[in-house]
Amino acid sequence: MPPVAVTLGTTEQLGPAQLAAGCRLCEVAFAGECFGDEDWRHALGGVHALVHDDGRLVAHGALVPRRFLHGGRVLRVGYVEAVAVDPGLRRRGLGSAVMAALEESVRRDHDAGALSATDDGAALYAARGWLRWSGTTWALTPSGRVRTEDDDGSVFVLPGDVGLDVAAELTCDWREGDLW
């Protein structure tokens, strides 16, 4: 298979038409799993990895900056959001190409990477060396630190140069909607 060309751009660099195409692709790719406006907003504010085929967006992923707490430290985390591939083009390496570009950014600009995987996506991330978080998950909220039991088992991390104990606690920062 020939190499897949991935274009990177920040949210600010992408025009309204490209951002709208990314949102539409996610809605199609996540059909039945409820991908809405709030989910798309979580993908904004960082860098986007885009794959086009004849001018049409066929794969997308975003990496947004977040702050996590782990082992008494604050970590600068590159959080992966809105990884989507056109359903008719899956299993052709497009998702892997998007992830490779995002992982390069994680390694260069962040202490670690993190994401919350769907059941369908978990195999891709594990095959790429992402580690499933086996410890408890938490979130810093306006009312304090709270457990996020429903997210246990779906969080994956890509360790950077900092040591991560995947069996320990991991706390994400606050945001509206899904915390992980």
Side-chain angles (χ1 to χ4, degrees):
M1 178 185 317
V4 176
V6 178
T7 304
L8 294 175
T10 64
T11 299
E12 293 76 25
Q13 291 170 329
L14 301 181
Q18 287 179 303
L19 292 172
C23 184
R24 277 192 308 276
L25 175 62
C26 289
E27 290 168 347
V28 169
F30 286 96
E33 292 193 38
C34 191
F35 187 92
D37 290 341
E38 196 165 75
D39 299 305
W40 179 247
R41 282 193 299 274
H42 288 170
L44 303 177
V47 64
H48 299 259
L50 310 168
V51 176
H52 292 89
D53 182 26
D54 287 330
R56 183 174 66 92
L57 183 64
V58 296
H60 172 275
L63 188 71
V64 295
R66 296 189 68 186
R67 297 277 191 253
F68 284 13
L69 300 176
H70 174 64
R73 296 174 295 171
V74 176
L75 302 176
R76 292 175 305 110
V77 172
Y79 198 79
V80 176
E81 290 282 3
V83 176
V85 175
D86 181 300
L89 297 173
R90 291 184 178 154
R91 308 280 184 255
R92 296 183 188 183
L94 302 177
S96 290
V98 163
M99 288 304 298
L102 297 178
E103 290 160 0
E104 184 177 319
S105 182
V106 166
R107 290 183 180 101
R108 183 183 59 242
D109 301 326
H110 303 278
D111 295 325
L115 57 84
S116 179
T118 62
D119 291 340
D120 290 340
L124 169 67
Y125 307 124
R128 298 195 53 76
W130 289 72
L131 306 174
R132 186 183 299 268
W133 196 266
S134 61
T136 56
T137 58
W138 297 75
L140 288 176
T141 74
S143 58
R145 189 168 170 257
V146 298
R147 273 284 280 128
T148 55
E149 298 95 353
D150 290 347
D151 296 296
D152 289 354
S154 68
V155 174
F156 282 74
V157 294
L158 183 66
D161 293 334
V162 298
L164 296 178
D165 176 2
V166 298
E169 294 179 356
L170 186 63
T171 304
C172 68
D173 55 1
W174 170 253
R175 65 183 186 178
E176 295 289 329
D178 291 334
L179 297 172
W180 289 96

